[in-house]
Amino acid sequence: MEADGTAHLFSALGKQIKVFREARGLSQKELADRVHCSLDLVSAVERGVRTPQPDFLKLVDEALDAGGVLAAAIPDVREALSRARTRHPEWYRGYARLEGEAVELHFYANAGVPGLLQTAEHAESVFRNRRPLLGEETIEKRIADRLDRQKVLARRPAPVISYVLEEAILDRPIGGRKVHETQLRRIAAVGQMRNVELQVMPTDCEEHPSLDSAFNLLVPKDQNHQIGYTESQGHPRLVTDAAEVRLLAERYGIMRAAALTPRKSLELIERKLGKR
């Protein structure tokens, strides 16, 4: 993004939106209300730290009576997003390709919300608070990459997907209470998809077969065997050894048996939302 000027495009659009908004005498909150989005999104776009999506630009152009000035940039934004979304880090590209085409995907998460479940606001908080600090352009690119991966959830034919999430993930308010509430609703919505089985491992469970790092299991397209993926402290590893994959699958199966059922898991999430 730095090399091809994409970051400068988004920064310029943010400044233009601010100029048009102030010329109309509107606050950021008033603009957010008019285009039915969050105040945080308007603020982040104007500051150049969030990507102005094409639909957002169209609505803002109309709301601010910008005469098509903002909407005219939509083709350039689409092209820039397309370029950015193909740029997963080199070490991750092999897994990202397999994930995008897999017929089965299974995730065990013990510390954070898996990427395919994250909202944009949650992802931004994750990347903005990690150490060492990331640059603004890198944060934007990683958010775009993460959201682009989520296309697999709506792919047809739909892959078989399952999750086992540690309950602690549901209690950690990453990004603040409002962002976390939206994140919980997102998890619940994905958990209700027909091709998804989402289970929560209760914190008070007295036995656990995998007190190690998180891991993924997937079945690649046109293959009938699983492979694994682990990532710990920035060290990713694709697991193809049959014995290692079998061990991960065994652990995952035991965890699914010990976890709450999908229905009970969704009920737990609803109870947590009700307490907020």
Side-chain angles (χ1 to χ4, degrees):
M1 292 178 73
E2 293 175 354
D4 64 15
T6 299
H8 297 297
L9 168 64
F10 295 155
S11 176
L13 283 170
K15 292 175 181 177
Q16 288 180 331
I17 290 171
K18 181 178 181 180
V19 169
F20 277 115
R21 175 180 60 78
E22 292 180 342
R24 302 295 181 271
L26 297 176
S27 67
Q28 290 182 337
K29 178 65 168 58
E30 289 170 328
L31 176 58
D33 291 340
R34 289 194 181 192
V35 298
H36 307 293
C37 72
S38 69
L39 169 61
D40 289 343
L41 175 60
V42 173
S43 174
V45 168
E46 288 192 356
R47 288 182 286 119
V49 299
R50 283 286 300 275
T51 302
Q53 298 292 322
D55 289 345
F56 175 82
L57 284 175
K58 183 175 183 298
L59 291 172
V60 170
D61 191 287
E62 295 172 354
L64 297 178
D65 192 24
V69 172
L70 300 174
I74 289 177
D76 296 310
V77 169
R78 285 201 174 108
E79 181 181 352
L81 290 174
S82 178
R83 290 197 305 269
R85 286 168 179 167
T86 63
R87 296 179 184 175
H88 292 290
E90 186 174 351
W91 56 263
Y92 188 76
R93 288 174 191 165
Y95 173 79
R97 178 183 57 79
L98 292 170
E99 181 186 77
E101 299 177 349
V103 296
E104 288 186 26
L105 291 163
H106 307 286
F107 303 90
Y108 167 59
N110 61 353
V113 176
L116 295 186
L117 296 178
Q118 291 184 11
T119 65
E121 291 77 13
H122 180 101
E124 180 177 1
S125 181
V126 168
F127 291 129
R128 193 167 294 284
N129 287 286
R130 72 175 296 153
R131 294 297 187 274
L133 293 172
L134 301 174
E136 295 296 337
E137 293 82 3
T138 300
I139 291 172
E140 276 302 307
K141 179 188 178 303
R142 294 197 179 185
I143 294 172
D145 288 342
R146 182 150 294 182
L147 298 182
D148 187 62
R149 284 175 53 209
Q150 296 177 5
K151 292 186 298 186
V152 71
L153 294 172
R155 202 187 69 212
R156 294 294 179 268
V160 174
I161 301 174
S162 72
Y163 288 94
V164 175
L165 308 179
E166 293 291 342
E167 184 179 358
I169 293 173
L170 307 179
D171 296 326
R172 183 173 293 117
I174 298 295
R177 298 292 174 180
K178 185 175 180 180
V179 170
H180 186 57
E181 178 178 335
T182 302
Q183 179 60 72
L184 289 181
R185 295 190 187 282
R186 161 72 176 172
I187 292 173
V190 174
Q192 296 177 62
M193 296 175 66
R194 293 179 59 197
N195 61 313
V196 177
E197 297 283 331
L198 188 145
Q199 295 176 256
V200 175
M201 177 67 84
T203 301
D204 62 6
C205 186
E206 297 181 354
E207 298 177 350
H208 202 300
S210 184
L211 295 176
D212 205 334
S213 62
F215 62 84
N216 306 344
L217 290 163
L218 60 85
V219 177
K221 180 182 179 182
D222 300 326
Q223 297 186 33
N224 58 9
H225 63 274
Q226 288 184 323
I227 63 173
Y229 176 79
T230 64
E231 186 179 326
S232 178
Q233 295 298 321
H235 296 283
R237 189 165 73 97
L238 202 61
V239 182
T240 57
D241 178 76
E244 286 192 77
V245 174
R246 183 187 62 77
L247 179 58
L248 291 176
E250 178 183 346
R251 290 174 178 171
Y252 191 72
I254 295 172
M255 285 189 288
R256 291 195 71 179
L260 299 177
T261 66
R263 181 172 64 83
K264 292 292 186 181
S265 297
L266 292 176
E267 290 175 358
L268 175 63
I269 294 173
E270 289 299 326
R271 290 198 299 273
K272 290 182 182 294
L273 282 167
K275 294 178 182 179
R276 297 178 183 281

